[in-house]
Amino acid sequence: MKDVSGRVAVVTGGASGIGLGMARAFAGAGMKLVIGDLDEAAMTAVGEELTNAGAEVVTRSCDVSDLEQVQNLADLAVDTYGGVNVLCNNAGIGIPTGTHNMKLDDWKWIIDVDLWGPIHGVEAFLPRMIEQGEGGHLLFTASFAGLVANEGLGPYTVAKYGVVGLAEVLHRELRPHDIGSSVLCPM
């Protein structure tokens, strides 16, 4: 996709950090935005900031570990703008502690957000993108921890390795649909 003006981007975790940077960049390029995040105050502030700068923006509270909430975010995008062209599976969490100290509930929480969140994004958005027939792009935010194991980040590393694998598989599988897939691995 070279001309993105007027197209629709969805960003999970879009109220802060890398997600906020993506949302600002997409707005600056003339894209319509759907921002999902759990921090409603920050999300409202970002929505107002981007709207005041001239962007079309809708927001919705979204816990990516819950498939129904991600499906609701997809519904919002389709109901508001008629479709989705770019999905940024960006929301993520981590607990910096030794793997041997990690509680099973913490493992579950991290895997649910960091790996199941992107899987939920694919489940909720990809069939709609294929049906639109306009091509598009899936972007996954992983981490350098998805490429190289890092001490003190066991569950996070496990999840991010999975995200890298998911993005790479989709890159190959989605070519016939003109839908790209890439993964961001910041450090």
Side-chain angles (χ1 to χ4, degrees), residues 82-153:
V84 175
N85 305 104
V86 175
L87 169 63
C88 298
N89 286 293
N90 174 70
I93 56 167
I95 301 173
T97 190
T99 305
H100 63 284
N101 292 325
M102 194 67 62
K103 295 179 178 138
L104 188 57
D105 286 344
D106 294 331
W107 271 90
K108 183 170 178 4
W109 180 50
I110 291 167
I111 298 293
D112 282 352
V113 172
D114 290 355
L115 181 56
W116 277 106
I119 293 168
H120 292 158
V122 171
E123 174 71 17
F125 286 90
L126 183 56
R128 297 165 197 244
M129 293 173 76
I130 291 171
E131 187 177 307
Q132 285 170 201
E134 299 175 7
H137 199 86
L138 303 175
L139 174 64
F140 298 87
T141 302
S143 167
F144 186 70
L147 302 171
V148 177
N150 286 282
E151 185 177 329
L153 292 172

Coordinates of all heavy atoms in Angstrom, one line a residue, residues 82-153:
G82 N -16.5 1.3 7.3 CA -16.8 0.4 6.2 C -15.7 -0.7 5.9 O -15.9 -1.5 5.1
G83 N -14.6 -0.6 6.7 CA -13.6 -1.7 6.5 C -12.4 -1.3 7.3 O -12.3 -0.4 8.0
V84 N -11.3 -2.2 7.0 CA -10.0 -2.0 7.7 C -9.0 -2.3 6.6 O -9.0 -3.3 5.9 CB -9.8 -3.0 8.9 CG1 -8.4 -2.9 9.4 CG2 -10.9 -2.7 9.9
N85 N -7.9 -1.4 6.6 CA -6.8 -1.6 5.6 C -5.5 -2.0 6.3 O -4.7 -2.7 5.8 CB -6.6 -0.4 4.8 CG -7.9 0.1 4.1 OD1 -8.5 1.0 4.5 ND2 -8.3 -0.7 3.1
V86 N -5.4 -1.5 7.6 CA -4.1 -1.8 8.3 C -4.5 -2.2 9.7 O -5.3 -1.4 10.4 CB -3.2 -0.6 8.4 CG1 -2.0 -0.9 9.3 CG2 -2.7 -0.2 7.0
L87 N -4.0 -3.3 10.2 CA -4.2 -3.7 11.6 C -2.9 -3.7 12.3 O -2.0 -4.5 11.8 CB -4.9 -5.0 11.7 CG -4.9 -5.7 13.1 CD1 -5.7 -4.8 14.1 CD2 -5.4 -7.1 13.1
C88 N -2.7 -3.0 13.4 CA -1.5 -3.0 14.2 C -1.8 -3.7 15.5 O -2.4 -3.1 16.4 CB -1.0 -1.6 14.4 SG -0.6 -0.7 13.0
N89 N -1.4 -5.0 15.6 CA -1.5 -5.7 16.8 C -0.3 -5.3 17.7 O 0.8 -5.9 17.7 CB -1.4 -7.2 16.5 CG -2.6 -7.8 15.8 OD1 -3.6 -7.8 16.5 ND2 -2.5 -8.2 14.6
N90 N -0.5 -4.3 18.4 CA 0.5 -3.6 19.2 C 0.5 -3.8 20.7 O 1.5 -3.7 21.4 CB 0.5 -2.1 18.8 CG 1.5 -1.3 19.6 OD1 2.7 -1.5 19.4 ND2 1.0 -0.5 20.6
A91 N -0.7 -3.9 21.2 CA -0.9 -4.0 22.7 C 0.0 -5.1 23.3 O 0.1 -6.2 22.7 CB -2.3 -4.3 23.1
G92 N 0.7 -4.8 24.4 CA 1.5 -5.8 25.0 C 1.9 -5.5 26.4 O 1.8 -4.3 26.9
I93 N 2.3 -6.5 27.2 CA 2.7 -6.3 28.6 C 3.9 -7.1 28.9 O 4.3 -8.0 28.1 CB 1.6 -6.7 29.5 CG1 1.1 -8.1 29.3 CG2 0.4 -5.7 29.4 CD1 0.3 -8.8 30.3
G94 N 4.5 -6.9 30.0 CA 5.7 -7.7 30.5 C 5.9 -7.5 31.9 O 5.6 -6.5 32.5
I95 N 6.5 -8.5 32.6 CA 6.9 -8.4 34.0 C 8.4 -8.8 34.0 O 8.7 -10.0 33.8 CB 6.1 -9.4 34.9 CG1 4.6 -9.1 34.8 CG2 6.6 -9.3 36.3 CD1 3.7 -10.1 35.5
P96 N 9.2 -7.8 34.2 CA 10.7 -8.2 34.3 C 11.1 -8.8 35.6 O 11.4 -8.2 36.6 CB 11.3 -6.8 34.1 CG 10.3 -5.8 34.7 CD 9.0 -6.4 34.4
T97 N 11.1 -10.2 35.5 CA 11.5 -10.9 36.7 C 12.0 -12.3 36.2 O 11.7 -12.7 35.1 CB 10.4 -11.1 37.7 OG1 10.9 -11.7 38.9 CG2 9.3 -12.0 37.2
G98 N 12.8 -12.9 36.9 CA 13.3 -14.2 36.6 C 12.2 -15.2 36.3 O 11.2 -15.3 37.0
T99 N 12.4 -16.1 35.3 CA 11.4 -17.0 34.9 C 11.1 -18.0 36.1 O 9.9 -18.3 36.3 CB 11.9 -17.8 33.7 OG1 12.2 -16.9 32.7 CG2 10.8 -18.8 33.2
H100 N 12.1 -18.4 36.9 CA 11.8 -19.3 38.0 C 11.0 -18.6 39.1 O 10.4 -19.3 39.9 CB 13.2 -19.8 38.5 CG 14.0 -18.7 39.1 ND1 14.7 -17.8 38.3 CD2 14.3 -18.3 40.4 CE1 15.4 -17.0 39.1 NE2 15.1 -17.3 40.3
N101 N 10.9 -17.3 39.1 CA 10.1 -16.6 40.1 C 8.7 -16.3 39.6 O 7.9 -15.8 40.3 CB 10.8 -15.3 40.5 CG 12.0 -15.5 41.3 OD1 12.1 -16.4 42.0 ND2 13.0 -14.6 41.0
M102 N 8.4 -16.6 38.3 CA 7.2 -16.2 37.7 C 6.1 -17.1 38.2 O 6.2 -18.3 38.2 CB 7.3 -16.3 36.2 CG 6.2 -15.6 35.4 SD 6.1 -13.8 35.6 CE 7.6 -13.3 34.9
K103 N 4.9 -16.5 38.6 CA 3.8 -17.3 39.0 C 3.0 -17.8 37.7 O 3.0 -17.1 36.7 CB 2.9 -16.5 39.9 CG 3.5 -16.2 41.2 CD 2.6 -15.3 42.1 CE 3.3 -15.0 43.3 NZ 3.2 -13.7 43.8
L104 N 2.3 -18.9 37.8 CA 1.6 -19.4 36.7 C 0.5 -18.4 36.2 O 0.3 -18.2 35.0 CB 0.9 -20.7 37.0 CG 0.2 -21.5 35.9 CD1 1.2 -21.8 34.8 CD2 -0.4 -22.7 36.4
D105 N -0.1 -17.7 37.1 CA -1.1 -16.6 36.7 C -0.5 -15.5 35.9 O -1.1 -15.0 35.0 CB -1.8 -16.1 38.0 CG -2.8 -17.0 38.6 OD1 -3.2 -18.0 37.9 OD2 -3.2 -16.7 39.7
D106 N 0.8 -15.2 36.3 CA 1.5 -14.2 35.5 C 1.9 -14.7 34.1 O 1.8 -13.9 33.1 CB 2.8 -13.7 36.2 CG 2.5 -13.0 37.5 OD1 1.4 -12.4 37.6 OD2 3.3 -13.1 38.4
W107 N 2.3 -16.0 34.0 CA 2.5 -16.6 32.7 C 1.3 -16.5 31.8 O 1.3 -16.0 30.7 CB 2.8 -18.0 32.8 CG 4.3 -18.4 33.0 CD1 5.0 -18.4 34.2 CD2 5.2 -18.6 32.0 NE1 6.3 -18.8 33.9 CE2 6.5 -18.9 32.6 CE3 5.1 -18.7 30.6 CZ2 7.6 -19.2 31.9 CZ3 6.3 -19.0 29.9 CH2 7.5 -19.3 30.5
K108 N 0.1 -16.8 32.4 CA -1.1 -16.8 31.7 C -1.5 -15.4 31.2 O -1.9 -15.2 30.0 CB -2.3 -17.4 32.5 CG -3.6 -17.5 31.8 CD -4.6 -18.3 32.5 CE -5.9 -18.3 31.9 NZ -6.1 -17.8 30.6
W109 N -1.4 -14.4 32.1 CA -1.7 -13.0 31.7 C -0.8 -12.6 30.6 O -1.3 -12.0 29.6 CB -1.5 -12.2 33.0 CG -1.8 -10.7 32.8 CD1 -2.9 -10.2 32.2 CD2 -0.9 -9.6 33.2 NE1 -2.8 -8.8 32.3 CE2 -1.6 -8.4 32.8 CE3 0.3 -9.6 33.8 CZ2 -1.1 -7.2 33.1 CZ3 0.8 -8.3 34.0 CH2 0.2 -7.1 33.7
I110 N 0.5 -12.8 30.7 CA 1.4 -12.3 29.6 C 1.1 -13.0 28.3 O 1.0 -12.4 27.2 CB 2.9 -12.5 30.0 CG1 3.2 -11.5 31.2 CG2 3.8 -12.3 28.9 CD1 4.5 -11.8 31.9
I111 N 1.0 -14.4 28.3 CA 0.7 -15.1 27.1 C -0.7 -14.7 26.5 O -0.8 -14.5 25.3 CB 0.7 -16.6 27.3 CG1 2.1 -17.1 27.8 CG2 0.3 -17.4 26.1 CD1 3.2 -16.9 26.8
D112 N -1.7 -14.5 27.4 CA -3.0 -14.1 26.9 C -3.0 -12.7 26.2 O -3.6 -12.6 25.1 CB -4.0 -14.0 28.0 CG -4.5 -15.4 28.5 OD1 -4.2 -16.4 27.8 OD2 -5.2 -15.4 29.5
V113 N -2.2 -11.8 26.7 CA -2.1 -10.5 26.0 C -1.2 -10.5 24.9 O -1.5 -10.0 23.8 CB -1.7 -9.4 27.1 CG1 -1.5 -8.0 26.4 CG2 -2.8 -9.2 28.1
D114 N 0.1 -11.0 25.1 CA 1.1 -10.8 24.1 C 1.1 -11.8 23.0 O 1.6 -11.5 21.9 CB 2.5 -10.9 24.8 CG 2.8 -9.7 25.7 OD1 2.0 -8.8 25.7 OD2 3.8 -9.8 26.4
L115 N 0.5 -13.0 23.1 CA 0.4 -13.9 22.0 C -1.1 -14.1 21.6 O -1.4 -14.0 20.4 CB 1.0 -15.3 22.4 CG 1.0 -16.3 21.3 CD1 1.7 -15.8 20.0 CD2 1.7 -17.6 21.8
W116 N -2.0 -14.4 22.5 CA -3.4 -14.5 22.2 C -3.9 -13.2 21.6 O -4.8 -13.2 20.8 CB -4.2 -15.1 23.3 CG -4.1 -16.6 23.4 CD1 -3.4 -17.3 24.3 CD2 -4.6 -17.5 22.5 NE1 -3.5 -18.6 24.0 CE2 -4.3 -18.8 22.9 CE3 -5.4 -17.4 21.3 CZ2 -4.6 -20.0 22.2 CZ3 -5.8 -18.6 20.7 CH2 -5.4 -19.8 21.1
G117 N -3.5 -12.1 22.1 CA -4.0 -10.8 21.6 C -3.8 -10.7 20.1 O -4.8 -10.4 19.4
P118 N -2.6 -10.9 19.6 CA -2.4 -10.9 18.1 C -3.2 -12.0 17.4 O -3.7 -11.7 16.3 CB -0.9 -11.1 18.0 CG -0.3 -10.5 19.2 CD -1.3 -10.9 20.3
I119 N -3.3 -13.1 18.0 CA -4.1 -14.2 17.4 C -5.5 -13.8 17.3 O -6.2 -13.9 16.3 CB -4.0 -15.5 18.2 CG1 -2.5 -16.1 18.0 CG2 -5.0 -16.6 17.7 CD1 -2.2 -17.2 19.0
H120 N -6.1 -13.1 18.4 CA -7.4 -12.6 18.3 C -7.6 -11.5 17.3 O -8.6 -11.5 16.6 CB -7.8 -12.0 19.7 CG -8.0 -13.1 20.8 ND1 -7.9 -12.8 22.1 CD2 -8.2 -14.4 20.7 CE1 -8.0 -13.9 22.8 NE2 -8.2 -14.9 22.0
G121 N -6.5 -10.7 17.1 CA -6.6 -9.7 16.0 C -6.7 -10.3 14.7 O -7.5 -9.9 13.8
V122 N -5.9 -11.4 14.4 CA -6.0 -12.1 13.1 C -7.4 -12.7 13.0 O -8.1 -12.6 11.9 CB -4.9 -13.2 13.1 CG1 -5.2 -14.1 11.8 CG2 -3.6 -12.5 13.0
E123 N -7.9 -13.3 14.0 CA -9.3 -13.9 13.9 C -10.4 -12.9 13.6 O -11.3 -13.2 12.8 CB -9.5 -14.7 15.3 CG -10.9 -15.2 15.4 CD -11.2 -16.5 14.5 OE1 -10.2 -17.1 14.0 OE2 -12.4 -16.8 14.3
A124 N -10.3 -11.8 14.3 CA -11.4 -10.8 14.2 C -11.3 -9.9 12.9 O -12.3 -9.5 12.4 CB -11.4 -9.9 15.4
F125 N -10.1 -9.7 12.5 CA -9.9 -8.7 11.4 C -9.6 -9.3 10.0 O -10.1 -8.9 9.0 CB -8.8 -7.7 11.7 CG -9.2 -6.7 12.7 CD1 -9.0 -6.9 14.1 CD2 -9.8 -5.5 12.3 CE1 -9.4 -5.9 15.0 CE2 -10.2 -4.5 13.2 CZ -10.0 -4.8 14.6
L126 N -8.8 -10.4 10.0 CA -8.3 -10.9 8.7 C -9.4 -11.4 7.8 O -9.4 -11.0 6.6 CB -7.3 -12.0 8.9 CG -6.6 -12.6 7.6 CD1 -6.0 -11.5 6.8 CD2 -5.6 -13.6 8.0
P127 N -10.4 -12.1 8.2 CA -11.5 -12.5 7.3 C -12.2 -11.3 6.7 O -12.5 -11.4 5.5 CB -12.4 -13.3 8.2 CG -11.6 -13.8 9.3 CD -10.6 -12.7 9.6
R128 N -12.3 -10.3 7.4 CA -13.0 -9.1 6.9 C -12.1 -8.4 5.8 O -12.6 -7.9 4.8 CB -13.3 -8.1 8.0 CG -14.3 -8.6 9.0 CD -14.2 -7.7 10.3 NE -14.8 -8.4 11.4 CZ -15.9 -8.0 12.1 NH1 -16.5 -6.9 11.7 NH2 -16.3 -8.6 13.1
M129 N -10.8 -8.4 6.1 CA -9.8 -7.8 5.2 C -9.8 -8.6 3.9 O -9.8 -8.0 2.8 CB -8.5 -7.7 5.8 CG -8.4 -6.7 6.9 SD -6.8 -6.7 7.8 CE -5.8 -5.8 6.7
I130 N -9.8 -9.9 4.0 CA -9.8 -10.7 2.8 C -11.1 -10.5 2.0 O -11.1 -10.3 0.8 CB -9.7 -12.2 3.1 CG1 -8.2 -12.5 3.7 CG2 -10.0 -13.1 1.9 CD1 -8.0 -13.8 4.2
E131 N -12.2 -10.5 2.7 CA -13.5 -10.3 2.0 C -13.6 -8.9 1.3 O -14.2 -8.8 0.3 CB -14.7 -10.4 3.1 CG -16.0 -10.3 2.5 CD -17.1 -10.5 3.6 OE1 -17.0 -11.5 4.3 OE2 -18.0 -9.6 3.6
Q132 N -13.0 -7.9 1.9 CA -13.0 -6.5 1.3 C -12.3 -6.6 -0.1 O -12.7 -5.8 -1.0 CB -12.2 -5.5 2.1 CG -12.9 -5.1 3.3 CD -11.9 -4.3 4.2 OE1 -12.2 -4.2 5.4 NE2 -10.9 -3.7 3.8
G133 N -11.3 -7.4 -0.2 CA -10.6 -7.6 -1.5 C -9.8 -6.4 -1.9 O -9.5 -6.2 -3.1
E134 N -9.4 -5.5 -0.9 CA -8.6 -4.3 -1.2 C -7.1 -4.5 -0.8 O -6.4 -3.5 -0.9 CB -9.2 -3.2 -0.4 CG -10.6 -2.8 -0.7 CD -11.1 -1.7 0.2 OE1 -10.3 -1.1 1.0 OE2 -12.3 -1.4 0.1
G135 N -6.7 -5.7 -0.4 CA -5.4 -5.8 0.1 C -5.3 -5.2 1.5 O -6.3 -5.0 2.1
G136 N -4.1 -4.9 2.0 CA -4.0 -4.3 3.3 C -2.7 -4.8 3.9 O -1.8 -5.3 3.3
H137 N -2.6 -4.6 5.2 CA -1.4 -5.0 6.0 C -1.7 -5.3 7.4 O -2.5 -4.6 8.1 CB -0.4 -3.8 5.9 CG 1.0 -4.3 6.2 ND1 1.8 -4.9 5.2 CD2 1.7 -4.4 7.3 CE1 3.0 -5.2 5.8 NE2 2.9 -4.9 7.1
L138 N -1.0 -6.3 7.9 CA -1.0 -6.7 9.3 C 0.3 -6.4 9.9 O 1.4 -6.8 9.3 CB -1.3 -8.2 9.5 CG -2.6 -8.7 8.9 CD1 -2.7 -10.2 9.1 CD2 -3.8 -8.1 9.6
L139 N 0.4 -5.6 10.9 CA 1.7 -5.3 11.6 C 1.6 -5.8 13.0 O 0.6 -5.6 13.7 CB 1.9 -3.8 11.6 CG 3.1 -3.3 12.5 CD1 4.4 -3.9 11.8 CD2 3.2 -1.8 12.6
F140 N 2.6 -6.5 13.4 CA 2.7 -7.1 14.8 C 3.9 -6.5 15.5 O 5.0 -6.4 15.0 CB 2.9 -8.6 14.7 CG 1.8 -9.3 14.0 CD1 1.8 -9.5 12.6 CD2 0.8 -9.9 14.7 CE1 0.8 -10.2 12.0 CE2 -0.2 -10.6 14.1 CZ -0.2 -10.7 12.7
T141 N 3.6 -6.0 16.7 CA 4.7 -5.5 17.5 C 5.2 -6.6 18.4 O 4.4 -7.1 19.2 CB 4.3 -4.3 18.4 OG1 3.8 -3.2 17.5 CG2 5.5 -3.8 19.2
A142 N 6.4 -7.1 18.1 CA 7.0 -8.1 19.0 C 8.0 -7.4 19.8 O 7.7 -6.5 20.6 CB 7.6 -9.2 18.1
S143 N 9.3 -7.8 19.7 CA 10.3 -7.3 20.5 C 11.6 -7.9 20.0 O 11.6 -9.0 19.4 CB 10.1 -7.6 22.0 OG 11.2 -7.4 22.8
F144 N 12.7 -7.3 20.4 CA 14.0 -8.0 20.2 C 14.0 -9.4 21.0 O 14.6 -10.3 20.6 CB 15.2 -7.1 20.7 CG 16.5 -7.7 20.4 CD1 17.0 -7.8 19.1 CD2 17.3 -8.2 21.4 CE1 18.2 -8.3 18.8 CE2 18.6 -8.7 21.2 CZ 19.0 -8.8 19.9
A145 N 13.1 -9.4 22.0 CA 13.0 -10.6 22.8 C 12.3 -11.7 22.0 O 12.3 -12.9 22.4 CB 12.2 -10.3 24.1
G146 N 11.7 -11.4 20.9 CA 11.1 -12.4 20.0 C 12.2 -13.0 19.0 O 11.8 -13.9 18.2
L147 N 13.4 -12.4 19.1 CA 14.5 -12.9 18.3 C 15.6 -13.5 19.1 O 16.3 -14.5 18.6 CB 15.0 -11.8 17.4 CG 14.0 -11.1 16.5 CD1 14.7 -9.8 15.9 CD2 13.5 -12.0 15.4
V148 N 15.8 -13.0 20.3 CA 16.9 -13.4 21.1 C 16.4 -13.5 22.5 O 15.8 -12.6 23.1 CB 18.1 -12.4 21.1 CG1 19.2 -12.8 22.1 CG2 18.6 -12.3 19.7
A149 N 16.6 -14.7 23.2 CA 16.1 -14.9 24.5 C 16.8 -13.9 25.5 O 18.0 -13.7 25.4 CB 16.3 -16.3 25.0
N150 N 16.0 -13.3 26.4 CA 16.5 -12.3 27.3 C 16.3 -12.8 28.7 O 15.2 -13.2 29.1 CB 15.8 -11.0 27.1 CG 16.3 -10.3 25.9 OD1 17.3 -9.7 25.9 ND2 15.5 -10.4 24.8
E151 N 17.3 -12.7 29.5 CA 17.3 -13.1 30.9 C 16.2 -12.2 31.6 O 16.2 -11.0 31.4 CB 18.6 -12.9 31.6 CG 18.7 -13.4 33.0 CD 20.1 -13.3 33.5 OE1 21.1 -13.4 32.8 OE2 20.3 -13.0 34.7
G152 N 15.4 -12.8 32.5 CA 14.4 -12.1 33.2 C 13.1 -11.8 32.5 O 12.3 -11.0 33.0
L153 N 13.0 -12.3 31.3 CA 11.8 -12.0 30.5 C 11.2 -13.3 29.9 O 10.8 -13.3 28.8 CB 12.1 -11.0 29.4 CG 12.4 -9.6 29.8 CD1 12.9 -8.8 28.6 CD2 11.2 -9.0 30.5

